[in-house]
């Protein structure tokens, strides 16, 4: 009902106003989704091995101020020069990418360095005064950066007479006020026609991947807005606060089993405490229930509270503890979950164990200068006795991830490899009702496949020259999908009680309609101007369902496009 979101929003605003009067520290915004600097930052973290400045990389988006402080001292001196091993191992491409990070974060550089990025011939004197930004202002107590957002892609799919396309226009802006308040906005209007297998997803879920409300466009296409924005400020030197509408991600993998950014944005309040060997993040979110999109009406709300404690056990090993709960209330927000340091499971038990609580553990270890290994364990519910009995009890619900990254592989500069495995048992993330499942706006909050799957991902990324990027990706997964009259635990929107679930035992990964999918993709990208990419890509997808008719056959798609100040749209499921 209407009073629920209003009460929640008013409570968040009150919390924000409490912090504003004591905000006296340098403010920041976040690196946007899919930012190109993530490649270099990942490489520097692995290469540094024991440099604690890069340790806390599990919670994304990354804080611009933290990134720039890790790279540069307040007087603008390069911190990397203090590590001879890093300096000696920086390739020509790495040095170029480091310069691009500086060019895209000028508000965090002193005037002495900022002058070096001025354009000799700005457009109409006021535009593109630096290569990265259409319009920018850097004066006392005020920074402002405005850029256009454009993505135009044309594609051709095998055995499809229609032309596929993506047409995105919009803008992004960010800034700071009096070095106390940070703000950012991303707004785009989008029309797209997608491959058949993605349309099947839309038809089944009533959701466009990565989007919220949408309308049909030219019969087989989709039209939607993507609007994000937030404010940031500091409570103390060590505590950052962000309030807005955007996406968050927890983990070091390509996927996350805890919280992912593959779905729609949501309203959130984020508190991040970074001190000594700890990085502690609290997230309070307002989410949307599953909805069948029948007519114009208010979509029901639900809520989530999550916290993640990342501990630098050593300068090369980080261990994280995660806990979260998703819940709905007919007439109020449960303020017990606003406590930033309590165990949510204890609150959930005091409420009668009615809500959907999850817990997790993640690990990241940098091995000497070349390799990073990482993993996640997500626990929804389990009984150790039933695990030992090995009877396939439905409520043994957990997920496991492990992976590794290898930079400058086989001695080839800027060739980076990644291998990742994910597996999630049936009924994980689901709940006894259709409200408190681990979802938002008809899409999963964690892995896009939901549950009841095992998956392998292999990624090769090569940057042979400063402006060129080549990426190859292989994904293979097996999933036990649900039939029309019975849940085998893959569709996490279904309640995990009868009549949907029809037995207590006999559930293993792959139970149900066993479906195997293979995806191979290849991308060549050329950065013609700062943040303006020309891209050619190809994708092959094969699907085989052994116990039921194939719902979507094999396909191949080739695409060419232009992308400016925007992340790539990926449909790798």
């Amino acid at each position: 009902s209407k009073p629920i979101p209003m009460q929640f929003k008013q409570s968040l605003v009150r919390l924000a106003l409490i912090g504003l009067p004591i905000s006296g520290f340098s403010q920041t915004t976040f690196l946007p989704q899919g930012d190109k600097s993530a490649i270099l930052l990942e490489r520097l973290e692995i290469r540094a091995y024991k440099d604690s400045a890069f340790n806390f990389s599990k919670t994304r988006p990354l804080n611009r101020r933290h990134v720039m402080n890790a790279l540069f001292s307040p007087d603008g001196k390069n911190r990397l020069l203090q590590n001879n091993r890093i300096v000696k191992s920086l390739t020509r491409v790495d040095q170029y990418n480091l310069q691009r990070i500086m060019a895209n974060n000028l508000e965090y550089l002193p005037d002495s360095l900022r002058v070096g990025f001025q354009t000799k011939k700005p457009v109409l004197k006021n535009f593109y005064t630096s290569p990265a930004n259409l319009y920018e202002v850097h004066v006392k107590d005020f920074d402002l950066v405005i850029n256009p957002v454009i993505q135009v892609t044309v594609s051709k799919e095998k055995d499809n007479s229609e032309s596929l396309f993506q047409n995105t226009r919009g803008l992004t802006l960010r800034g700071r006020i009096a070095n106390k308040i940070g703000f950012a906005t991303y707004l785009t209007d989008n029309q797209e026609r997608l491959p058949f297998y993605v349309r099947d997803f839309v038809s089944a879920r009533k959701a466009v991947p990565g989007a919220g409300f949408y309308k049909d466009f030219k019969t087989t296409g989709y039209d939607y807005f993507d609007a994000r924005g937030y404010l940031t400020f500091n409570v103390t030197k060590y505590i950052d606060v962000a309030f807005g509408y955007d996406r968050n991600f927890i983990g070091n993998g390509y996927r996350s089993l805890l919280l992912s950014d593959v779905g729609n944005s949501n309203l959130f309040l984020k508190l991040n405490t970074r001190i000594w060997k700890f990085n502690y993040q609290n997230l309070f979110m307002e989410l949307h229930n599953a909805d069948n999109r029948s007519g114009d009406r208010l979509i029901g709300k639900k809520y989530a509270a999550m916290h993640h404690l990342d501990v630098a056990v050593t300068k090369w090993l980080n261990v994280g503890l995660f806990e979260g709960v998703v819940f709905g209330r007919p007439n109020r927000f449960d303020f017990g979950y606003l406590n930033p340091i309590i165990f949510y499971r204890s609150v959930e038990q005091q409420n009668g164990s009615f809500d959907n609580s999850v817990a997790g553990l993640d690990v990241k270890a940098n091995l000497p200068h070349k390799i990073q290994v990482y993993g996640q364990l997500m626990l929804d519910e389990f009984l150790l006795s039933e695990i030992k009995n090995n009877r396939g009890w439905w409520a043994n619900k957990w997920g496991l991830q492990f992976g590794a990254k290898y930079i400058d592989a086989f001695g080839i500069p800027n060739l980076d490899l990644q291998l990742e495995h994910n597996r999630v048992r049936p009924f994980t993330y689901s709940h006894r009702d259709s409200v408190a499942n681990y979802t938002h706006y008809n899409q999963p909050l964690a892995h896009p496949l939901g549950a009841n799957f095992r998956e392998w991902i292999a990624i090769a990324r090569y940057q042979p020259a400063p402006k060129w990027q080549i990426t190859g990706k292989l994904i293979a997964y097996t999933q036990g999908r649900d039939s029309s009259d019975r849940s085998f635990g893959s569709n996490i929107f279904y309640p995990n009680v009868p009549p949907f679930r029809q037995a207590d035992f006999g559930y293993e990964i792959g139970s149900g309609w066993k479906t195997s999918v293979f995806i191979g993709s290849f991308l060549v990208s050329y950065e013609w101007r700062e943040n303006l990419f020309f891209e050619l890509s190809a994708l092959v997808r094969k699907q085989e369902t052994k116990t039921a008719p194939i719902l979507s056959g094999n396909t191949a798609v080739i695409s060419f496009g232009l992308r400016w100040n925007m992340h790539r749209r990926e449909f790798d499921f």
Side-chain angles (χ1 to χ4, degrees), residues 30-44 54 62-64 67-68 71 97-98 100-102 104-105 461 463 527 530-531 533:
F30 301 104
L31 294 175
Q33 182 181 14
D35 190 80
K36 66 180 182 180
S37 64
I39 297 174
L40 178 62
L41 295 175
E42 181 179 280
R43 288 172 55 81
L44 290 177
F54 294 100
L62 297 178
N63 182 309
R64 289 181 189 268
V67 168
M68 296 303 286
L71 297 175
N97 291 339
L98 183 60
R100 296 351 293 161
I101 290 180
M102 296 171 67
N104 283 275
N105 295 276
R461 184 180 61 228
Q463 194 172 358
E527 189 176 15
E530 191 70 27
N531 300 315
F533 299 87

Side-chain angles (χ1 to χ4, degrees), residues 47 189 262 559:
R47 192 171 280 155
D189 180 32
V262 296
S559 305

Side-chain angles (χ1 to χ4, degrees), residues 357-401:
S357 62
V358 297
L361 172 72
D362 55 63
V363 179
K364 177 197 71 177
N366 294 325
L367 306 184
H369 314 297
K370 284 284 189 177
I371 295 175
Q372 180 184 91
V373 294
Y374 61 89
Q376 290 182 336
L377 172 64
M378 198 286 297
L379 298 175
D380 189 343
E381 185 179 356
F382 75 98
L383 280 179
L384 184 59
S385 60
E386 285 297 341
I387 293 179
K388 292 180 178 179
N389 290 335
N390 195 29
R391 296 188 296 174
W393 187 44
W394 75 274
N396 278 338
K397 300 181 291 181
W398 49 262
L400 180 67
Q401 174 190 89

Side-chain angles (χ1 to χ4, degrees), residues 66-99:
H66 291 165
V67 168
M68 296 303 286
N69 287 346
L71 297 175
F72 306 99
S73 59
D75 60 359
K77 293 182 179 179
N78 193 329
R79 292 187 190 272
L80 297 179
L81 297 179
Q82 301 173 13
N83 190 323
N84 291 330
R85 181 181 291 274
I86 292 182
V87 172
K88 292 179 181 179
S89 61
L90 283 177
T91 66
R92 179 174 64 97
V93 171
D94 290 334
Q95 294 173 10
Y96 171 83
N97 291 339
L98 183 60
Q99 289 292 314

Side-chain angles (χ1 to χ4, degrees), residues 20-196:
L20 284 174
I22 56 175
S23 301
F25 304 93
S26 177
Q27 199 34 249
T28 185
T29 54
F30 301 104
L31 294 175
Q33 182 181 14
D35 190 80
K36 66 180 182 180
S37 64
I39 297 174
L40 178 62
L41 295 175
E42 181 179 280
R43 288 172 55 81
L44 290 177
E45 178 187 355
I46 297 173
R47 192 171 280 155
Y49 175 40
K50 293 184 178 181
D51 191 337
S52 60
F54 294 100
N55 272 2
F56 300 123
S57 59
K58 292 179 184 174
T59 51
R60 290 180 266 164
L62 297 178
N63 182 309
R64 289 181 189 268
R65 188 181 78 246
H66 291 165
V67 168
M68 296 303 286
N69 287 346
L71 297 175
F72 306 99
S73 59
D75 60 359
K77 293 182 179 179
N78 193 329
R79 292 187 190 272
L80 297 179
L81 297 179
Q82 301 173 13
N83 190 323
N84 291 330
R85 181 181 291 274
I86 292 182
V87 172
K88 292 179 181 179
S89 61
L90 283 177
T91 66
R92 179 174 64 97
V93 171
D94 290 334
Q95 294 173 10
Y96 171 83
N97 291 339
L98 183 60
Q99 289 292 314
R100 296 351 293 161
I101 290 180
M102 296 171 67
N104 283 275
N105 295 276
L106 292 181
E107 62 265 45
Y108 299 96
L109 294 179
D111 293 339
S112 59
L113 285 180
R114 193 181 298 157
V115 171
F117 290 92
Q118 289 183 346
T119 305
K120 294 182 179 180
K121 293 182 179 180
V123 178
L124 300 177
K125 296 184 178 180
N126 295 314
F127 300 97
Y128 285 107
T129 56
S130 75
N133 303 312
L134 171 68
Y135 183 77
E136 57 189 312
V137 176
H138 305 291
V139 297
K140 180 177 170 41
D141 290 336
F142 186 63
D143 292 283
L144 177 66
V145 177
I146 302 176
N147 278 303
V149 174
I150 295 175
Q151 187 164 184
V152 178
T153 302
V154 292
S155 307
K156 183 60 180 176
E157 182 178 21
K158 178 184 177 182
D159 299 327
N160 188 348
S161 61
E162 298 178 305
S163 295
L164 310 184
F165 61 86
Q166 179 184 352
N167 183 10
T168 296
R169 294 99 41 221
L171 64 86
T172 178
L173 66 85
R174 69 176 191 270
R176 300 186 299 176
I177 300 173
N179 217 18
K180 296 182 179 181
I181 305 296
F183 60 90
T185 293
Y186 171 93
L187 176 64
T188 60
D189 180 32
N190 307 267
Q191 294 82 40
E192 57 190 22
R193 180 181 291 131
L194 305 174
F196 282 134

